[in-house]
Amino acid sequence: MTVAIPRPPANNTNRSLEHTMKTHTAIIAALAVATSLLADTLQIGAFTLPYRFEDTNITDIVRCVVTNDVQSFCAPITAFRPPYQDKSGNVCVQRINTPGTSFYRPEVFMHGIKFYIENGQTNCVIKQSLTDAAKAIECELPMRTNLVAGARLFVGMMADGSITNRSISELRTLTRVYRNGFLSAVSETDGPDDIIMRNFAYFSRGVAFFPLCVLDAESRPDGTNTCFFVMARYDYPNDPSYARSIGMRPLVYSNGYWSLCF
């Protein structure tokens, strides 16, 4: 089992959340404008590469979210394999991720990002399938971006260990299980106190989180309500026994706060 937690929000926290959401929306708008002014390069793992969109008919918010997500998804890339020619005649290169090959790869990114040799250099090509996925939920992108920004804060509390200062009752409340379309707190039968405490401490002991992706997020039913999921990816840079895999844990947003989900 694994765990993590911000305190359940009181009424004043909800008002603060509304203010934060509005602030984030303004920030997103500024970022979208700034993105269109930046040089045409992206940080792709260990590399800074030129990039281009197949689809040139995209808005600033789609450009902003997609380019940030491409960089987030590609964060584990450390090298590229030798070039090869695909069926269309493109000279392609495949990425090499560290750690290893066992790696969570949402289809929207797997088929939406390609690396081609163009004009003598490796270019990141953002396929139309990826921008089409963003366009399909364009009206939701500000909301999703705001929520994922909150998830990043939650991940930060796990990484720096501050989450372990919470009481066991808070940790239990904020460790949730998703079964048959319903969210619930982890019961003492499913997770004794010492296991919950141990799993919170686990994330602050050398675990390195990769950035979260907005387009990897999804809403799901929670009874008659809706909850919001995003996948957290992490590795163990100080533990060679985990050299062939990247860990994964769903995060869920419901009732005004993020938690780990099982």
Side-chain angles (χ1 to χ4, degrees):
M1 183 183 290
T2 336
V3 187
I5 292 157
R7 299 181 189 277
N11 291 336
N12 60 338
T13 306
N14 289 330
R15 289 194 294 271
S16 176
L17 178 62
E18 291 177 7
H19 173 75
T20 302
M21 296 281 275
K22 293 176 182 177
T23 302
H24 279 283
T25 301
I27 293 171
I28 293 162
L31 282 174
V33 173
T35 300
S36 65
L37 303 176
L38 296 176
D40 290 332
T41 60
L42 294 177
Q43 187 65 39
I44 303 296
F47 305 90
T48 300
L49 299 181
Y51 78 97
R52 64 177 176 83
F53 287 96
E54 278 191 338
D55 182 1
T56 57
N57 183 26
I58 55 176
T59 61
D60 284 337
I61 185 63
V62 168
R63 177 183 295 270
C64 178
V65 169
V66 169
T67 51
N68 283 326
D69 265 14
V70 167
Q71 293 180 111
S72 296
F73 177 74
C74 293
I77 293 176
T78 55
F80 290 98
R81 301 187 187 280
Y84 68 97
Q85 192 170 43
D86 68 11
K87 294 179 181 179
S88 301
N90 298 308
V91 180
C92 306
V93 286
Q94 289 184 323
R95 52 188 169 244
I96 298 175
N97 302 305
T98 296
T101 56
S102 179
F103 180 41
Y104 174 66
R105 297 175 171 93
E107 186 174 349
V108 67
F109 295 112
M110 281 303 297
H111 298 292
I113 306 168
K114 299 294 182 182
F115 298 97
Y116 296 148
I117 302 296
E118 298 175 329
N119 301 319
Q121 61 187 356
T122 302
N123 285 350
C124 175
V125 177
I126 300 173
K127 308 290 282 184
Q128 185 160 346
S129 61
L130 183 51
T131 49
D132 282 350
K135 286 181 177 181
I137 56 169
E138 186 166 355
C139 63
E140 298 180 10
L141 291 179
M143 176 272 292
R144 287 172 176 255
T145 303
N146 290 340
L147 286 175
V148 171
R152 292 190 186 105
L153 295 176
F154 176 71
V155 165
M157 288 190 292
M158 287 195 288
D160 68 17
S162 61
I163 203 77
T164 59
N165 296 327
R166 306 298 174 82
S167 68
I168 186 60
S169 61
E170 288 179 287
L171 298 184
R172 184 174 298 284
T173 300
L174 296 166
T175 308
R176 294 187 271 196
V177 177
Y178 187 71
R179 292 192 184 115
N180 302 319
F182 289 88
L183 272 177
S184 61
V186 175
S187 68
E188 292 188 18
T189 301
D190 290 337
D193 289 354
D194 62 325
I195 296 295
I196 288 182
M197 293 294 292
R198 194 183 313 154
N199 283 303
F200 272 102
Y202 164 82
F203 281 110
S204 63
R205 294 175 184 154
V207 170
F209 285 92
F210 292 107
L212 304 175
C213 296
V214 172
L215 295 178
D216 185 31
E218 62 174 337
S219 60
R220 298 182 192 175
D222 176 19
T224 57
N225 298 315
T226 299
C227 54
F228 188 83
F229 282 81
V230 68
M231 184 67 72
R233 303 172 297 157
Y234 52 90
D235 74 352
Y236 318 80
N238 301 320
D239 189 341
S241 66
Y242 288 94
R244 301 304 300 169
S245 66
I246 290 176
M248 298 169 288
R249 176 55 55 197
L251 309 179
V252 61
Y253 182 86
S254 181
N255 296 328
Y257 61 93
W258 284 95
S259 62
L260 284 180
C261 188
F262 298 89

